[in-house]
Amino acid sequence: MNRDAGLPRVVVFSLGGTIASTNANGGAAGGVAPRLGAGDLVEAVPQLREVAELETVSFRQVASSDLTLPDIIALAAQITDCFEAGASGAVVTQGTDTIEETSFALDLLVRDHRPVVVTGAMRNPTLAGPDGPANLLAAVQVAAAPDAAGLGTLVVLNDEIHAARFVRKTHTSSPATFHSPTAGRLGWMSEGRPRIAFRAPALEGIPSGVNEQEVPPVALLTSVLGHDSRLIGQVETLGYAGLVIEAFGGGHVPSHVVPVLADLASRLPVVLASRTGGGELLQGTYSFPGSERDLLSRPLIPAGFLDGPKARVLLSLLLTAGADLDRVRTAFEQINASISAPIVGGAH
């Protein structure tokens, strides 16, 4: 912990993941697992003492595949408490497998102008050239920077700065795995300084009243060649409270699937997203059976620029907050409309 006067105060939360993974002997033989806490990660990067006054919280110590939305709801509450106590920024370290979902959940849940930065690593500490220390340093540098205020939750890896609402993991092992196909990165690191190229507008329509109660289950299904409707027909029977369907291209499904989707959407929120991972769901281009015009003429809800996993996060949090069908539809509309909203005040 650094108590140097005049430096911004940044709280580092560790959740486990590759960045914190080693084995009992400190080598790579036999595989690695999350064993290092936030204090261990910070101690391994002495340059951090020059950037910020640091506090460390070992919040979880798991593979990111074991994280849940209740975990992230609890984390968001702790981050909010730290901001209320005067912290300048927060950094979250975790496994990269679910960063695109957890960071978006934090973007929705932490309603503060101060930066929340999520980072991780693709190479664990036992390998040559681990990227965790450099990613952690860059994340703290961003969290401590006044220019990062008001950008929502950010994802910082490989010296690139991404908005949580757009970022995706695109490769199983490359350190350059994170990209934002729809909008591009917000900025990059240069000589230890974040360079912000453009600022994303604040999100509107976010869930309110979310707590750590049980999160209603939401199914995510992907359209594939020859897709039938059997799984869709079982969504309600299996106890799911909603469905996100990832459609082909701009928002298309096989024509014979439409009646089952429409029937389900008359009782549960069914959100239509694209499986492509980039671009925005179409709303008025095609008119064949199973097209986006056909589906959206029924009670399906367009995800807009949100991909399937992010649409599922938003729908889950809305249902946790008790939103009904109309509120869910309105929230998705507001989230998407906010991207076209003017940025008030410009750069900080």
Side-chain angles (χ1 to χ4, degrees):
M1 184 178 296
N2 182 8
R3 292 294 182 185
D4 290 344
L7 292 176
R9 181 160 65 91
V10 174
V11 184
V12 178
F13 295 85
S14 64
L15 277 63
T18 295
I19 192 171
S21 290
T22 184
N23 65 21
N25 299 318
V32 297
R35 290 186 170 88
L36 304 176
D40 302 313
L41 299 178
V42 166
E43 285 299 316
V45 189
Q47 298 95 321
L48 288 170
R49 302 187 186 98
E50 303 171 7
V51 179
E53 174 189 328
L54 296 176
E55 295 183 13
T56 58
V57 179
S58 294
F59 184 79
R60 297 285 188 271
Q61 199 168 52
V62 297
S64 65
S65 52
D66 273 336
L67 291 171
T68 65
L69 269 178
D71 288 328
I72 306 306
I73 293 169
L75 175 61
Q78 286 205 22
I79 291 173
T80 299
D81 289 344
C82 289
F83 285 157
E84 291 176 352
S88 303
V91 169
V92 177
T93 69
Q94 66 159 85
T96 58
D97 286 350
T98 57
I99 276 182
E100 60 199 82
E101 293 163 90
T102 60
S103 63
F104 182 56
L106 290 173
D107 201 19
L108 296 170
L109 293 168
V110 180
R111 307 318 304 163
D112 197 286
H113 70 282
R114 284 165 283 196
V116 178
V117 182
V118 185
T119 193
M122 295 298 292
R123 298 190 184 117
N124 70 72
T126 70
L127 300 177
D131 53 328
N135 287 339
L136 177 57
L137 177 59
V140 172
Q141 288 168 333
V142 172
D147 284 350
L151 290 175
T153 298
L154 302 170
V155 173
V156 175
L157 289 99
N158 202 40
D159 279 345
E160 294 188 340
I161 304 168
H162 296 267
R165 68 195 73 170
F166 297 124
V167 75
R168 290 174 61 93
K169 185 175 182 179
T170 65
H171 194 282
T172 60
S173 57
S174 170
T177 181
F178 283 94
H179 296 279
S180 297
T182 297
R185 61 186 180 179
L186 296 187
W188 58 89
M189 300 299 297
S190 179
E191 297 181 321
R193 178 185 174 191
R195 304 286 290 173
I196 306 300
F198 70 91
R199 308 184 69 84
L203 291 176
E204 302 292 338
I206 56 176
S208 59
V210 177
N211 55 45
E212 291 178 62
Q213 65 191 34
E214 183 178 351
V215 176
V218 172
L220 174 61
L221 297 176
T222 300
S223 298
V224 293
L225 185 68
H227 199 191
D228 62 35
S229 60
R230 284 177 290 179
L231 288 176
I232 298 169
Q234 291 299 308
V235 165
E236 187 176 17
T237 302
L238 291 171
Y240 287 98
L243 168 67
V244 175
I245 180 74
E246 289 189 315
F248 300 111
H252 310 147
V253 301
S255 57
H256 63 268
V257 172
V258 175
V260 181
L261 278 174
D263 178 62
L264 183 64
S266 68
R267 297 184 301 277
L268 301 179
V270 177
V271 177
L272 181 67
S274 171
R275 76 175 195 175
T276 62
E280 186 170 345
L281 190 81
L282 301 179
Q283 297 202 34
T285 301
Y286 296 94
S287 60
F288 55 81
S291 69
E292 80 281 358
R293 288 178 67 101
D294 183 19
L295 292 168
L296 297 178
S297 70
R298 304 165 194 273
L300 275 72
I301 299 167
F305 70 86
L306 297 177
D307 60 22
K310 286 184 171 62
R312 179 181 172 273
V313 166
L314 176 57
L315 179 55
S316 298
L317 293 177
L318 287 165
L319 294 176
T320 302
D324 59 16
L325 276 168
D326 288 340
R327 176 70 187 101
V328 169
R329 180 179 294 277
T330 298
F332 273 89
E333 291 173 351
Q334 290 176 322
I335 289 280
N336 279 279
S338 67
I339 297 303
S340 299
I343 301 175
V344 178
H348 289 71

